[in-house]
Amino acid sequence: MDAAPAGLLETVATGPMTPRTLPPLKLCRFAQGDGPVRVGLVRDDATVLDLTPAGVTRLQPLLEGDDPAGRLRRLAGQQLPRLALGDVRLRAPVERQEIWAAGVTYLRSKTARMEESDFSASAYDRVYAAERPELFFKALAEKVAASGEPVGIRGDATWNVPEPELALVLNSRGRIVGHTIGNDMSSRDIEGANLLYLPQAKVYERSCALGPWITLGTPETAARRWGVRLTIQRGRRRVFAGDTSVGQIKRGFEELAGWLFRSQTFPHGAVLLTGTGVVPPDTFTLQAGDVIEIAIDGIGTLRNPVVVV
Ligand code: DO4
Ligand code: MG
């Protein structure tokens, strides 16, 4: 079957023979100036529909409902305040969810990490093939950088990279209710020195970015056709560009979510990054001032400048 146009994937039957393609739903958190954080729906990548007057003031109650996408489609038809996207500040699309990440889900990630460390090579090789995936805690929601906010490279690391990853948005029942873009910032020299240093290589100040919003209503079969593109800009120079496809992920989304929820509860839901398939060459390391852009079809672009932390 031919790939559907990126982002135009949900259909409704409008008559016996004429399914209609629906535009993607982009659910965001935003603020104006120093004002309170509100929940909105991004339309045409230009306007934000403020959902506050419709009683939607937080993401979680919406995501816990039986049909968040259906509810949002109904809300989109209401008379609600409209703001220009350029006039608001997007906030990370998380409230109290724990942020977790899966690792070594792409062949590219496995080979890069085996080259990075003789010491840990067999662990990466084994986990790629094992039934149980690698899952690790990544961030508290309050520590996540939104699109536009800085991400960090550790002051005590010498080899730092972004990891562009599709992120699954899960409600408290473990249901996949949406997708967003994640950046699993990583210090490869620390990780490569010893696998037991993984939490220090992965979990530090500003090590996770999510955004720019959550896209709802895309089934896994459609999301697996999305492309993932990473570019890194240094001043006027593009110092890295690479891409992959979500379809290269070895494991199913439900499989990853199922493992995350084994013997574990997430009363506020969770976000699960699904691993990276784009790895810059070993000679590349990020510098303060670089700007990282991660674009995923059907979602948008997550853009973050880099600072040393
Ligand atoms: O075990 C190292 C982490 C792997 C990872 O974060 C990834 O593959 O994305
Ligand atoms: Mg990763």
Side-chain angles (χ1 to χ4, degrees):
M1 199 172 81
D2 287 345
L8 298 174
L9 302 156
E10 214 185 354
T11 57
V12 285
T14 51
M17 300 298 289
T18 54
R20 181 162 58 89
T21 304
L22 297 172
L25 290 158
K26 296 172 175 174
L27 182 64
C28 72
R29 293 173 74 242
F30 71 97
Q32 278 186 300
D34 292 333
V37 177
R38 287 178 271 166
V39 175
L41 205 48
V42 177
R43 311 299 280 172
D44 311 319
D45 287 356
T47 308
V48 181
L49 213 57
D50 183 357
L51 300 180
T52 316
V56 180
T57 55
R58 288 178 51 238
L59 298 178
Q60 200 196 341
L62 185 75
L63 300 178
E64 290 296 327
D66 285 337
D67 181 18
R71 182 161 174 222
L72 280 175
R73 295 224 181 273
R74 288 189 293 279
L75 289 172
Q78 291 186 13
Q79 285 298 325
L80 292 165
R82 285 169 182 270
L83 304 145
L85 185 57
D87 290 345
V88 306
R89 192 158 57 96
L90 289 174
R91 309 301 303 267
V94 275
E95 288 163 342
R96 295 182 66 189
Q97 295 98 325
E98 290 180 33
I99 322 303
W100 284 67
V104 200
T105 52
Y106 286 82
L107 188 60
R108 178 72 189 99
S109 178
K110 182 190 93 144
T111 47
R113 278 168 229 279
M114 288 179 72
E115 285 159 16
E116 162 193 283
S117 167
D118 288 348
F119 183 81
S120 312
S122 78
Y124 293 123
D125 200 22
R126 285 184 205 197
V127 83
Y128 183 73
E131 189 191 352
R132 183 187 291 271
E134 177 196 6
L135 296 175
F136 56 91
F137 176 77
K138 180 67 189 173
L140 295 172
E142 71 217 43
K143 297 188 116 185
V144 171
S147 190
E149 293 177 348
V151 287
I153 49 176
R154 292 184 65 117
D156 62 354
T158 56
W159 183 14
N160 300 287
V161 293
E163 293 192 355
E165 306 192 8
L166 177 72
L168 309 176
V169 179
L170 303 156
N171 70 13
S172 67
R173 301 189 297 285
R175 194 177 138 213
I176 301 167
V177 287
H179 303 94
T180 188
I181 303 174
N183 183 350
D184 171 23
M185 292 287 289
S186 303
S187 304
R188 292 194 62 195
D189 57 321
I190 296 178
E191 172 188 281
N194 189 320
L195 208 51
L196 296 177
Y197 295 153
L198 192 77
Q200 293 175 74
K202 295 278 191 181
V203 186
Y204 57 87
E205 194 64 28
R206 299 190 168 279
S207 67
C208 181
L210 292 175
W213 40 66
I214 299 170
T215 302
L216 286 88
T218 311
E220 176 167 346
T221 45
R224 290 190 88 89
R225 292 196 286 263
W226 287 344
V228 180
R229 289 173 295 283
L230 168 67
T231 55
I232 302 168
Q233 201 72 27
R234 185 165 295 159
R236 298 162 77 92
R237 240 171 5 112
R238 177 164 289 187
V239 287
F240 178 77
D243 61 83
T244 187
S245 149
V246 171
Q248 299 294 315
I249 298 176
K250 181 175 183 264
R251 299 174 188 264
F253 296 175
E254 302 287 347
E255 175 192 352
L256 290 171
W259 280 100
L260 183 66
F261 275 70
R262 274 202 190 193
S263 301
Q264 179 65 286
T265 54
F266 295 99
H268 308 290
V271 175
L272 178 60
L273 279 66
T274 54
T276 189
V278 183
V279 183
D282 294 358
T283 48
F284 177 85
T285 186
L286 287 167
Q287 291 178 11
D290 287 354
V291 177
I292 302 163
E293 282 195 1
I294 303 171
I296 299 188
D297 296 329
I299 305 179
T301 302
L302 174 67
R303 187 177 293 108
N304 301 95
V306 174
V307 293
V308 177
V309 296

